[in-house]
Amino acid sequence: MLTRRSALIAAALTPLAAHAQSWAPSRPVRLVVPFPAGGATDVVARVLGEHMSGTLGQPVVVENRTGAGGNVGAETVVRSPPDGHNLLMGTMGGLTINPHLYRGMSFDPARDLVGIGMAFETVHVLIVHPAVPATTVGELIALAKAQPTRLAYGSAGAGSSTHMVAELFRLTAGIELTHVPYRGSAPALNDTVAGTVQIMLDQLPSCIGQVQAGRVRALAVTGAARHPLLPEVPSMAEAGLAGASATSWGAIMAPTGTPAPAIARLNAALNAALGDASVRARLVQAGADPVSSTPEAVAERMRTETAMWGRVVREANITVN
């Protein structure tokens, strides 16, 4: 029996299914990943692309185009023919945060890209060094308010998801924390484990090993609910900070102007991949929770989160060099 949510998704996808029968790729489909090979986004793209190749009858070829926080790869797709053969593995940062950080961007993701469908999301975990005398979010907030210059948090760099989610937490909690940016999440996590910085809001796949080993203490996850890999850790909403709920996510995008039948066929192929048990298992192993959606759902998520992250950038006065 279909759940109400499944029934609503099925109804929304029905028009797409009709369109999907009238288009097929005539040559290999390029899927641009705007980050280096081997990272989580790249792994997700390759797993999905492999399955989509079989559904579409043409190879889905992953191409890594890095630089400017993902903007170089995104612009490559924006400037490509909108014919269904050029796709982007977009991420929350590139699609909703970068427009507020990079004032000289030559394109607008909301205007120049259209969603094919969601692909994955990942929660962040609020972790502290074991020496921090706080076992709950409330205790951490009280500590920060009592000693506003004492606590520092590490991030993967200015404008990274670990930075933005931490600033969202800080603003929602009404506290002051010192930001220490690193060149990547791994060194930031290492220094959190060492106690050089006391706090981090790291992505779950990166820090779960350290949490399970007891080298850091997890106080909350940023998803809407508890995560099955950390069932004993409350969500931000449970901790009284629903406004600090946020996830990192990815969606496959195409240049604006891509024909509706192509979008429909690509959406069907993407959702077929996300519904495959072996694909889902490989994504979960890479730390990505599979998420299916319609193109309209991607547009709505971009709209709401672009506004949210714009507010965070302004209120926290975040800049990139």
Side-chain angles (χ1 to χ4, degrees):
M1 179 180 294
L2 286 175
T3 64
R4 175 175 172 79
R5 182 174 182 272
S6 297
L8 289 173
I9 292 175
L13 292 176
T14 299
L16 289 176
H19 273 302
Q21 305 307 314
S22 61
W23 181 88
S26 58
R27 61 183 185 277
V29 175
R30 179 177 64 157
L31 177 56
V32 174
V33 174
F35 303 107
T41 305
D42 178 73
V43 171
V44 170
R46 293 178 188 277
V47 170
L48 293 176
E50 179 182 325
H51 191 282
M52 291 173 68
S53 296
T55 303
L56 294 171
Q58 288 284 351
V60 175
V61 181
V62 173
E63 178 182 318
N64 300 92
R65 298 291 294 269
T66 66
N71 287 344
V72 170
E75 185 173 9
T76 298
V77 175
V78 166
R79 306 304 176 201
S80 299
D83 56 10
H85 296 85
N86 298 287
L87 305 176
L88 170 73
M89 177 56 77
T91 62
M92 173 263 281
L95 297 174
T96 68
I97 296 174
N98 284 3
H100 303 291
L101 294 177
Y102 295 86
R103 300 300 182 185
M105 283 179 61
S106 61
F107 66 96
D108 177 357
R111 180 193 65 211
D112 299 324
L113 291 167
V114 61
I116 298 299
M118 293 290 297
F120 70 93
E121 64 181 350
T122 303
V123 301
H124 290 245
V125 186
L126 173 59
I127 56 174
V128 297
H129 185 268
V132 175
T135 58
T136 67
V137 173
E139 290 177 356
L140 180 64
I141 292 172
L143 181 64
K145 288 183 176 179
Q147 301 176 345
T149 61
R150 173 185 173 187
L151 299 176
Y153 74 88
S155 81
S160 66
S161 64
T162 52
H163 179 203
M164 299 299 297
V165 173
E167 282 299 305
L168 178 64
F169 165 69
R170 184 186 69 78
L171 291 170
T172 304
I175 58 177
E176 294 298 327
L177 300 172
T178 300
H179 176 216
V180 182
Y182 291 80
R183 292 183 179 274
S185 62
L189 178 60
N190 289 341
D191 269 11
T192 307
V193 171
T196 305
V197 293
Q198 294 78 43
I199 304 169
M200 189 176 180
L201 271 131
D202 200 9
Q203 293 187 6
L204 174 65
S206 302
C207 68
I208 188 170
Q210 302 289 6
V211 171
Q212 293 173 335
R215 299 188 184 96
V216 292
R217 181 185 305 125
L219 302 186
V221 296
T222 63
R226 298 191 181 205
H227 196 279
L229 294 181
L230 292 174
E232 74 285 359
V233 179
S235 67
M236 282 290 186
E238 286 182 86
L241 291 178
S245 298
T247 60
S248 294
W249 51 270
I252 293 185
M253 313 294 292
T256 295
T258 299
I263 292 174
R265 180 69 183 275
L266 293 165
N267 175 269
L270 171 60
N271 286 335
L274 291 166
D276 182 88
S278 63
V279 169
R280 295 179 67 86
R282 291 170 68 186
L283 294 184
V284 170
Q285 185 177 21
D289 295 323
V291 180
S292 301
S293 81
T294 63
E296 291 77 15
V298 178
E300 176 61 17
R301 187 153 191 178
M302 285 179 63
R303 186 188 67 78
T304 57
E305 294 203 12
T306 297
M308 178 183 76
W309 293 121
R311 176 183 64 80
V312 172
V313 168
R314 290 190 301 273
E315 293 184 10
N317 194 28
I318 299 171
T319 60
V320 294
N321 295 326

